[in-house]
Amino acid sequence: MKSQPAIDPKAFERVLNRNVKLPLAAGLAGAVVFVGLIFYLLSVIGWVEHTDQVTRNATEAQRLSVDMESSMRGYLISGDIRFLDPYQAAQSRIGGELDALRALVADNRGQVARVDRIAAAQKSWDAYAADLIALRRADQDYRQVVNAGRGKALSDVMRNEYAAFLNVEQTLRFDRNNEANRTSLVVVGAYVLFSLLLTGALGYFGRRQLSQLSDSYEAALAELTQHAEVLQQQAWLRSAQTELAAELVGQLSALELGRKALAFFARHIGTSVGALYVREGQGQLRRAASYGFSATAEASPQVFSSTEGLLSQAVSERRTVVVEPVTADYLKVNSGLGDASPRAALLLPVGHEGLVNGVIELGLMHAPDERTSTLLDTVAGTIGSAIAAARYREQLQEVLAETQQLNEELQVQQEELRTANEELEEQSRVLRQSQATLENQQAELEQTNSQLSERTDALDQRNAALKRVQLDLEDRAEELQRASRYKSEFLANMSHELRTPLN
């Protein structure tokens, strides 16, 4: 890393005092000013809300008064008692509304007087309405009382008082808003002017020192940032390599190994489709696993010759092949919602001990960047070693299967030998019986000397055949011992070879 520029501690302390302490003090003063302004505005907002509440209560009381008047008129015109339901409902509430309104404006004597006048007029109108309703119920002449105009005069008084009351409240609300706006503008303007002056002074006096410190720290931070990015990149690569190595540990088949490797690439570099091709003994490439394939791609050929297409090119050149751009009919990415085409295809040869034993084909939605290429180069050897170990295990399983078959054949031969021995024992028993018969029938044997001679020749032939069978069985036993010794030596060699790549 490059050496960092020297920084004068005294200059730094001066800049710190000038550019940190003064702004902190100014910020503290501004905070105090703004806290006071906020409390003031909250107070003004409280009074505005109080005015709105008074206006709502006054409007509600006026609405109840209008409902009573309208309900009474409906009853006077129709004579239907149902028209009095709104009148009765409003009559039970209007007194409480006026009392609440009087409590809200208790600090304003003029408004209290208006509420009292409205309450008095309402009380007079209630008595007037009660008289008219009584006359209508008694079917007496109520029109004369209506024509006298007393009810209209009371309604006009209440209407005028309500209008004056609401006008006063709206005026108070307007005045309070204007006062709050003026105060806020003055305070904010003064603080902004103070901040501008202070900022200009700090900028004028501290610009040179800050510039030097900024250049020094920018160079150091840039270098640290670059170093941190390199370390982060290395940590990411090591973590990914460790993760892949952990996933590929164990006795995995080529299919399981390929699925885990392709899922790893999908998580870390965002591949949407991929396949693992394993190189066979004759150089052919066989598709061992796939990821994200469509039905058409799954139905495509799974074995490719050593001289066919880009797969063989990647194997022969031992380098990563990138195909970009990819046409729509080259490869498909299949999902539950549909399918799409990747933007780029990548062929990564993997190998072990200098020999390429497989190729990974990946479909990407974008061209691989440097980070992706580095990861691919890093894990190629790990995947190649895992493929080699899987192939060794497959070969070992094949050898074990052959050995098992040889053991079964040996057991069959042993069974045949046992059967032959039993037959030989049986023949020996028969021979003994014949000898006893010959001893007991010596006289008969003398008479049948020619027949005995023939039987003796046949017995000699049988004994010779038995000796040949015994010699054959001994040869087979020696062959089985050699096969068992070869098996033990082969298993020991294979165990040594399996431990060597894993270490």
Side-chain angles (χ1 to χ4, degrees), residues 125-393:
W125 189 90
D126 289 345
Y128 167 75
D131 294 341
L132 287 178
I133 292 171
L135 291 175
R136 185 67 177 86
R137 285 178 178 173
D139 290 333
Q140 296 181 5
D141 186 13
Y142 62 86
R143 292 182 178 82
Q144 183 177 0
V145 179
V146 173
N147 292 333
R150 180 167 175 265
K152 180 178 182 304
L154 292 173
S155 296
D156 291 340
V157 170
M158 287 189 292
R159 190 177 297 108
N160 293 333
E161 291 295 338
Y162 274 121
F165 184 88
L166 292 174
N167 287 335
V168 171
E169 291 298 326
Q170 292 297 329
T171 302
L172 289 174
R173 189 178 187 280
F174 180 76
D175 293 340
R176 288 166 180 167
N177 283 334
N178 288 339
E179 183 180 358
N181 290 335
R182 285 194 302 271
T183 304
S184 300
L185 289 175
V186 170
V187 173
V188 172
Y191 182 74
V192 169
L193 180 60
F194 171 74
S195 299
L196 291 175
L197 293 176
L198 180 62
T199 303
L202 291 176
Y204 177 77
F205 290 106
R207 182 177 179 277
R208 181 177 301 176
Q209 290 86 352
L210 285 176
S211 239
Q212 295 175 353
L213 291 174
S214 176
D215 293 340
S216 302
Y217 281 113
E218 281 181 2
L221 288 175
E223 189 172 352
L224 290 176
T225 302
Q226 183 179 4
H227 185 62
E229 290 177 354
V230 172
L231 292 178
Q232 185 178 4
Q233 179 76 6
Q234 293 176 354
W236 180 77
L237 290 174
R238 290 175 183 173
S239 175
Q241 189 175 12
T242 303
E243 179 184 349
L244 180 60
E247 291 186 357
L248 300 184
V249 169
Q251 297 183 357
L252 302 178
S253 64
L255 175 61
E256 296 172 338
L257 185 149
R259 287 179 176 175
K260 289 190 175 184
L262 294 174
F264 168 81
F265 288 125
R267 290 193 305 271
H268 287 80
I269 63 177
T271 57
S272 53
V273 65
L276 171 65
Y277 299 90
V278 177
R279 194 177 185 185
E280 301 292 344
Q282 298 179 353
Q284 295 178 338
L285 292 171
R286 176 180 58 84
R287 190 171 68 206
S290 61
Y291 180 89
F293 265 32
S294 62
T296 304
E298 286 289 352
S300 63
Q302 297 186 2
V303 179
F304 300 88
S305 67
S306 58
T307 59
E308 183 179 358
L310 291 177
L311 289 175
S312 61
Q313 195 71 19
V315 172
S316 61
E317 296 182 3
R318 298 184 180 181
R319 66 177 182 87
T320 302
V321 178
V322 179
V323 180
E324 182 190 10
V326 175
T327 59
D329 57 350
Y330 178 81
L331 193 60
K332 292 290 186 182
V333 180
N334 191 23
S335 68
L337 298 178
D339 52 16
S341 300
R343 302 292 180 84
L346 185 143
L347 302 175
L348 174 67
V350 296
H352 176 67
E353 294 183 351
L355 298 177
V356 177
N357 56 11
V359 178
I360 295 178
E361 183 176 11
L362 302 174
L364 302 170
M365 288 303 177
H366 53 79
D369 53 12
E370 182 180 358
R371 179 182 179 183
T372 301
S373 301
T374 305
L375 176 63
L376 293 174
D377 295 338
T378 302
V379 301
T382 302
I383 298 175
S385 299
I387 292 176
R391 293 300 305 275
Y392 288 150
R393 283 192 294 271

Side-chain angles (χ1 to χ4, degrees), residues 449-459:
N449 192 19
S450 60
Q451 296 178 354
L452 179 60
S453 177
E454 294 175 356
R455 291 183 179 179
T456 302
D457 295 335
L459 183 60

